[in-house]
Each structure stands twice: as structure tokens, then as C-alpha cells.
Amino acid sequence: MRAPSPELTHDLYLHIRVIISIVLGIAITRVLAGLARFVQHPGKLKVYPVHILWALIVLIASIHFWWWEFGLTAVTTWRFELFLFVLFYAFLFALMANILFPDELEEYEGYQDYFQSRRGWFFGLLIVSMLTDWFDTAIKGHDYLASFGLEYPARIIVTIALALVAMRTRNARFHLFFALLYLIYYVSWIIRVYDPGRG
């Protein structure tokens, strides 16, 4: 079978990016709408710092993923399985965003009670997203994966380990420490990775 022309490959990539953009748009919209509720109903909704931090992380991660996927231009042959894999990755952000901001909170005392009751689901999805991130980076090529050095796999392993602990404990200090540390590190990672002076 003849290999697809560069024009066909490019058109297919653009088609895939549109679908990814729709899914990520849902995730970003959900987080922004959820955060806006605190402004709309300041007396009704009590802010839970850990919940807010993870909401910011999912928002930044969704935007970062949108940019990160530009690396898929390096993929010269698209298969349906690869398309499903990338789309699945995008689905994870939409799912995390929807778990963070449910349609109703009546059966819970507030976002702290809700978040703690659903922490297994949220951190489970975070773990899956970490594993998916590694595979997603790997499919862009060995050189691309190696360009991030040992820090990248270390980041994946440490995040998964902390997420496993977060699934099992309700300790307020641990959850605040994890969320705050992850947010600070993740932002620094993005800045360093996309620094024009990066070797």
C-alpha cells in the first residue's frame, strides 16, 4: 500500500486537532464556569483551597496539552488506534474538570466534603493521565522523549506515588502540600521546557 501524501497527512492532523480542541474546550469551559461560581455566589459557596488549586492545575494542564499536541506534527503515519489514544488523553482532562465541578452540591456540605468524597476518582484519573502522558510523549519519537532528560520520568513517578497517597488519606496538610507543590512545579516545568534558551 502506498504511503499517504504529505498533504493528506497534514489534513488528517488538522482534522484530529479540531476534535481534540473541542474536547479540551469542554474541559476549560467547565473549570472557568466552576471558578466563576465563586464570584457569582460568594456567600453560598465556601472556597476549599485544595479544590481551587487542582482546578487551576487542570486548567493549566488542559491549555498545556493543547500546545503540547503540536508535537504530533512529527507523526507521519496516523492509525485509528493512535487517534483513539490521543483522543482518550484529551477525555481525561474533560473528566477531571467535570469531577472537580459537579452539577449539584446539595448532598454535600461543600467543596471540601465533595472533593474528599471523590478524591479516589480524581487522583485515579490523574495517575492515568501521567501514564498516558508518558506514552503520548514516547510516540513522538525516542529523541523527543530523551530530550526531556531524567527529570521527566522522575516527575511522572513522583506524581503517581503522591497521587496514590492522596487517594488513601484525608490529611488536610498533605493534600494542601501536594496540590501547592504540584502547581508550582508544573508551572516551572512548562516555563523551563518552552524557554527559547533551553538546550
Side-chain angles (χ1 to χ4, degrees):
M1 181 180 290
R2 189 174 61 182
S5 66
E7 293 80 8
L8 179 59
T9 300
H10 180 68
D11 289 344
L12 184 57
Y13 168 70
L14 292 178
H15 176 68
I16 291 169
R17 283 203 75 181
V18 168
I19 298 174
I20 292 173
S21 298
I22 292 172
V23 176
L24 291 175
I26 292 172
I28 292 171
T29 300
R30 187 73 174 193
V31 174
L32 291 176
L35 292 174
R37 291 181 202 166
F38 293 104
V39 178
Q40 297 167 345
H41 310 286
K44 181 179 179 181
L45 299 174
K46 185 178 180 181
V47 174
Y48 176 42
V50 172
H51 170 260
I52 293 295
L53 287 171
W54 282 114
L56 292 175
I57 290 167
V58 170
L59 177 62
I60 294 170
S62 298
I63 296 170
H64 179 220
F65 178 81
W66 213 327
W67 179 261
W68 182 276
E69 287 310 300
F70 186 73
L72 289 174
T73 53
V75 178
T76 56
T77 303
W78 277 93
R79 297 176 60 88
F80 186 67
E81 308 93 273
L82 178 58
F83 163 67
L84 283 181
F85 172 78
V86 175
L87 193 58
F88 168 75
Y89 193 2
F91 284 160
L92 293 174
F93 294 102
L95 286 171
M96 285 190 286
N98 277 275
I99 285 177
L100 283 171
F101 293 101
D103 294 328
E104 303 290 342
L105 269 180
E106 279 72 11
E107 55 189 299
Y108 303 95
E109 295 178 6
Y111 275 105
Q112 181 171 357
D113 180 40
Y114 170 76
F115 182 80
Q116 288 294 340
S117 72
R118 292 293 178 268
R119 70 185 188 280
W121 280 97
F122 180 78
F123 291 112
L125 286 171
L126 179 63
I127 290 171
V128 174
S129 75
M130 288 292 107
L131 295 172
T132 308
D133 186 85
W134 188 88
F135 284 110
D136 180 67
T137 304
I139 64 175
K140 295 181 177 74
H142 174 74
D143 292 341
Y144 184 77
L145 177 62
S147 70
F148 295 103
L150 293 177
E151 182 184 355
Y152 178 70
R155 167 182 161 238
I156 300 292
I157 293 170
V158 171
T159 301
I160 289 175
L162 291 174
L164 286 171
V165 175
M167 292 175 71
R168 294 177 174 273
T169 182
R170 286 177 172 267
N171 185 281
R173 288 185 179 180
F174 173 83
H175 278 282
L176 183 60
F177 169 78
F178 182 23
L180 189 58
L181 179 67
Y182 189 86
L183 177 60
I184 293 171
Y185 174 78
Y186 189 45
V187 170
S188 75
W189 163 266
I190 293 173
I191 292 172
R192 286 181 290 114
V193 165
Y194 297 114
D195 181 353
R198 176 176 172 269

